[in-house]
Amino acid sequence: MFRFEDNKCYRMPAHFGGFDCPGPEAALYYKDAVSVTFTYTTDEKQLASYVPEGFELLRPELNISYSQFREIDWMAGGAYNLVQVSVPARFNGKRDQLEGQFILVVWENKTWPILGGREETGIPKIYADIEDLHTIQPNYYTSASYEGNTFLRLELLGAKPVNGQLLSEMQASAATINALGWRYIPKVGAPGADLSQPILYPQGAEVHSAWAGSGTVKWTQLSWEQNPGQWHIIKALAELPMLEMAPVIMAKGVIILKPNNGRVLE
């Protein structure tokens, strides 16, 4: 009969056996990463309604980051794409007070990173088909869809290299990133949660090169029939007004995730 061992780490289905838990200094490396970040101001009250109690919205900004990851060590050199939507926030707890990006939702196009991110680190990950980054320089395009129904198109236009002091500032700010989230595990067969807790997932990036340009974000609302599990998420984000778009930034480099330094915030 299978028995759990207290000194092992497990993932579902756990009854096939555990593994030695990585130490606190273990890190996950994404050796070939391209990210394009879109930021626009929106209605503060409307945006704050999606930020849980305990967190404070710092600015009425919505950040949409598209990332194309290649040469991922923990995926044996594999790859996936994601779209992350987040807001600048501060956690005000009894023990912890820190600022970072509170993640509203992450779409990814591979199952394996979704499972680990949801269960183990509390990042709200769900599935979508996400295109690789298409380019007709100096313009870049991508889109996200579900079963053939596109709900998001992103465009970076007129990208120009970033150098000097501005690049140095970007490199410094990206070195340490506090990804904040809310881990919610529902009860089985009953209302409420078995786990409902704020979390910190430390990460960072080594930015090797960067570009800046203008950009567009186009949300397309889907019906329940087109996307029964996500339509309400897309609707909420699409209804946030785009008041002012900041310069769009594309960066290339290495992403470093530190899940074993993650923790529940108090």
Side-chain angles (χ1 to χ4, degrees):
M1 179 171 294
F2 175 80
R3 289 184 174 87
F4 289 99
E5 300 178 57
D6 292 339
N7 63 339
K8 295 286 187 179
C9 289
Y10 294 87
R11 296 187 178 101
M12 292 179 64
H15 41 268
F16 286 98
F19 55 93
D20 292 331
C21 301
E25 299 307 314
L28 308 178
Y29 287 86
Y30 295 56
K31 298 177 182 178
D32 181 0
V34 180
S35 295
V36 186
T37 301
F38 301 76
T39 301
Y40 55 88
T41 57
T42 187
D43 181 85
E44 184 170 6
K45 184 177 180 180
Q46 199 171 338
L47 184 61
S49 67
Y50 304 118
V51 178
E53 284 187 311
F55 289 94
E56 172 191 358
L57 181 66
L58 295 179
R59 297 180 301 280
E61 292 179 354
L62 194 70
N63 299 311
I64 303 172
S65 293
Y66 165 86
S67 294
Q68 180 174 285
F69 296 139
R70 303 293 182 264
E71 298 183 34
I72 302 170
D73 58 359
W74 63 272
M75 294 179 69
Y80 69 94
N81 301 333
L82 70 77
V83 173
Q84 174 178 293
V85 183
S86 64
V87 299
R90 176 179 176 83
F91 180 76
N92 297 306
K94 295 179 180 178
R95 182 192 67 185
D96 300 299
Q97 295 84 37
L98 72 164
E99 295 182 4
Q101 285 290 320
F102 180 80
I103 300 175
L104 298 177
V105 64
V106 177
W107 281 280
E108 294 179 339
N109 67 344
K110 290 283 180 74
T111 302
W112 184 228
I114 291 175
L115 294 179
R118 285 173 66 99
E119 294 178 359
E120 297 173 27
T121 59
I123 302 300
K125 298 185 176 187
I126 53 180
Y127 180 83
D129 295 306
I130 304 172
E131 289 287 323
D132 287 350
L133 197 61
H134 297 258
T135 179
I136 304 176
Q137 291 186 358
N139 303 326
Y140 298 81
Y141 313 87
T142 190
S143 61
S145 62
Y146 182 83
E147 295 190 351
N149 299 300
T150 298
F151 61 87
L152 178 64
R153 178 174 173 82
L154 302 171
E155 301 180 349
L156 165 60
L157 306 174
K160 296 181 179 180
V162 174
N163 297 299
Q165 182 63 27
L166 182 56
L167 178 60
S168 298
E169 292 173 359
M170 291 174 55
Q171 291 170 328
S173 65
T176 301
I177 301 169
N178 290 328
L180 307 171
W182 197 281
R183 182 163 67 157
Y184 187 92
I185 307 295
K187 290 182 178 179
V188 176
D194 276 332
L195 279 178
S196 184
Q197 54 196 190
I199 59 91
L200 166 68
Y201 187 174
Q203 48 196 260
E206 297 174 359
V207 177
H208 298 162
S209 52
W211 294 258
S214 61
T216 62
V217 174
K218 182 181 179 181
W219 293 100
T220 300
Q221 295 193 41
L222 302 181
S223 65
W224 179 87
E225 291 83 0
Q226 292 173 312
N227 192 337
Q230 303 176 9
W231 71 274
H232 63 298
I233 301 169
I234 298 164
K235 179 177 184 293
L237 297 173
E239 289 180 345
L240 291 169
M242 298 183 194
L243 302 181
E244 184 177 359
M245 177 76 72
V248 179
I249 302 297
M250 180 170 68
K252 294 184 178 183
V254 176
I255 300 294
I256 305 168
L257 307 183
K258 300 178 181 179
N260 298 297
N261 285 337
R263 57 185 171 86
V264 176
L265 297 173
E266 298 177 2

